[in-house]
Amino acid sequence: MNDHYLKKLDRVTAILTQLQSKPVVKAQDLAKKFEVSVRTIYRDVKTLENAGIPIVGEAGSGYSLMDGYKLPPVMFTKEEVLSFITAEKLMQKFSHQSMGKHYQTAMEKVRSVLKYSDKNLIQNIEKQIDIFQHQGKTEDTLKDVLPTILESIAEKLQLTIEYRTVDDKISTRTIEAVGVFFEFNFWYIMAFCTLRNDFRQFRVDRILKIFKTQNPYLQEYGQINDYRKNGNGNKITVKLLVDKKIMGHLVNSKIYYGLIEEVETENGVELTFETEWLKDGFPRWLITFADYATILEPESLKDRLKDLLKDISDKHQ
């Protein structure tokens, strides 16, 4: 069998996997994924149909497997099996506790369809991989909170939550969740808050009660990153001059706090931010490297930093 037919066999098998994993698959998306022409995808789909696979749909509208049709378990390559082991280790350390048990049962199903040799491979290698986490996991008040949030997003139904704020105040909110994200060791919801009529972030471990309503979303939303970047629009420009030797420690956090420009000068690196957190978030972050930074603007940030430092000094006298 020559190289051309081997590539086609691999591609046709991969297309079948795509059909098993998605409700509808478009020829244009498959062509882009496998870097071939749309016409080639049409021929590959015809090959599957000739092999007796009941494919519903046609060119231009997308393809799917006939409802109820079952296929034998997919066989995994050795490289894919090794990637599962690594992913499982990562999930054990970093997954949200409400999702961990579901991932564990999913992995048990994956293991059940592995070849005997691959099961031995897992047994031999899984104790040789570990992930070291230096921060402790947060504990949630509720069980299955993240699945509830994800279900509401999928079904486009509003959530009602009882939420404990950073200053220990309890409030009840009705929200329309856009998405969830993990950052700085915490899970967050990005959502439209009907009380504030604006987008807000809610830390998942501060949710005391949650239930999914039957009220549909009042509007359509884009991707989660669109809202994380845009915020509520009340941003202030901040300019800092930072010592070059500290820059390596700010790689991830500077993006989080709104970095929009970075210019290297003779005296250091000039960083420009747009931030909404001038009262607390930004100055508290700045304290962590304030001895290596000079505030160029605004003056209000200098005053706020002085007030914070005075409060710290007074507290520890």
Side-chain angles (χ1 to χ4, degrees):
M1 187 179 290
N2 62 34
D3 186 60
H4 168 75
Y5 287 105
L6 284 173
K7 287 182 178 178
K8 179 174 181 177
L9 179 61
D10 289 342
R11 190 174 62 248
V12 169
T13 302
I15 290 172
L16 183 55
T17 301
Q18 291 288 305
L19 289 167
Q20 287 180 269
S21 61
K22 297 180 180 179
V24 177
V25 180
K26 293 185 177 180
Q28 292 84 352
D29 295 336
L30 291 172
K32 184 177 180 180
K33 178 178 179 63
F34 299 112
E35 298 180 347
V36 296
S37 68
V38 173
R39 187 176 295 275
T40 297
I41 297 299
Y42 293 159
R43 288 197 293 265
D44 290 341
V45 171
K46 190 65 176 177
T47 298
L48 287 170
E49 289 177 329
N50 291 339
I53 306 298
I55 298 176
V56 180
E58 56 186 23
S61 61
Y63 300 105
S64 61
L65 290 176
M66 183 180 292
D67 189 33
Y69 179 73
K70 301 296 183 183
L71 286 167
V74 175
M75 301 308 294
F76 300 104
T77 66
K78 184 177 296 184
E79 291 77 13
E80 289 169 339
V81 172
L82 290 171
S83 73
F84 289 149
I85 302 171
T86 306
E88 186 174 19
K89 293 291 183 178
L90 285 167
M91 287 292 288
Q92 287 171 358
K93 296 290 184 179
F94 294 104
S95 69
H96 189 270
Q97 59 184 0
S98 63
M99 301 294 285
K101 62 180 180 181
H102 301 296
Y103 184 82
Q104 185 178 2
T105 56
M107 278 302 299
E108 288 171 357
K109 292 177 182 178
V110 170
R111 289 170 189 255
S112 71
V113 299
L114 293 177
K115 295 182 295 184
Y116 182 79
S117 59
D118 290 336
K119 291 177 182 178
N120 284 338
L121 176 67
I122 287 183
Q123 187 173 3
N124 292 334
I125 201 70
E126 62 183 348
K127 293 182 180 179
Q128 308 309 121
I129 302 173
D130 203 353
I131 308 295
F132 296 103
Q133 185 181 17
H134 297 289
Q135 292 178 301
K137 284 189 176 182
T138 57
E139 295 295 328
D140 297 330
T141 305
L142 305 175
K143 293 182 179 180
D144 290 329
V145 59
L146 208 56
T148 300
I149 297 164
L150 295 176
E151 285 176 12
S152 79
I153 295 171
E155 298 170 8
K156 299 186 186 305
L157 294 175
Q158 292 180 342
L159 291 168
T160 296
I161 63 173
E162 190 174 284
Y163 188 73
R164 177 174 52 81
T165 64
V166 67
D167 53 358
D168 283 329
K169 294 180 180 178
I170 308 298
S171 65
T172 300
R173 307 286 186 93
T174 298
I175 62 173
E176 299 180 355
V178 176
V180 297
F181 62 95
F182 182 81
E183 196 164 49
F184 299 121
N185 209 47
F186 294 103
W187 281 95
Y188 294 85
I189 313 173
M190 173 60 70
F192 182 82
C193 177
T194 59
L195 177 64
R196 304 300 184 194
N197 197 33
D198 202 353
F199 292 94
R200 292 288 188 269
Q201 295 179 12
F202 299 92
R203 223 172 78 181
V204 170
D205 62 305
R206 290 182 180 155
I207 297 175
L208 305 178
K209 295 180 181 179
I210 186 170
F211 69 89
K212 185 176 60 177
T213 74
Q214 294 304 308
N215 301 324
Y217 283 9
L218 301 177
Q219 56 187 313
E220 292 290 330
Y221 300 106
Q223 298 180 5
I224 183 173
N225 285 338
D226 298 335
Y227 301 93
R228 292 191 62 211
K229 292 175 182 176
N230 294 337
N232 61 22
N234 300 322
K235 295 184 177 179
I236 297 173
T237 300
V238 173
K239 289 184 181 291
L240 304 177
L241 184 64
V242 179
D243 194 315
K244 294 178 184 178
K245 63 184 177 184
I246 199 67
M247 289 300 298
H249 297 281
L250 308 180
V251 175
N252 296 319
S253 58
K254 66 185 179 183
I255 303 298
Y256 178 78
Y257 284 97
L259 180 73
I260 59 171
E261 188 177 31
E262 182 174 325
V263 179
E264 190 169 326
T265 70
E266 293 182 359
N267 300 319
V269 182
E270 187 173 303
L271 303 179
T272 303
F273 301 84
E274 285 187 351
T275 180
E276 306 165 19
W277 308 325
L278 205 63
K279 181 180 178 182
D280 283 307
F282 195 94
R284 292 182 186 278
W285 171 65
L286 178 55
I287 283 178
T288 63
F289 62 99
D291 50 336
Y292 292 99
T294 302
I295 299 172
L296 302 179
E297 62 175 82
E299 289 295 321
S300 59
L301 178 57
K302 295 181 182 180
D303 294 336
R304 178 58 182 149
L305 188 63
K306 289 176 183 176
D307 290 341
L308 279 175
L309 292 171
K310 184 178 184 302
D311 290 343
I312 293 170
S313 178
D314 291 344
K315 187 172 183 179
H316 294 280
Q317 281 184 353

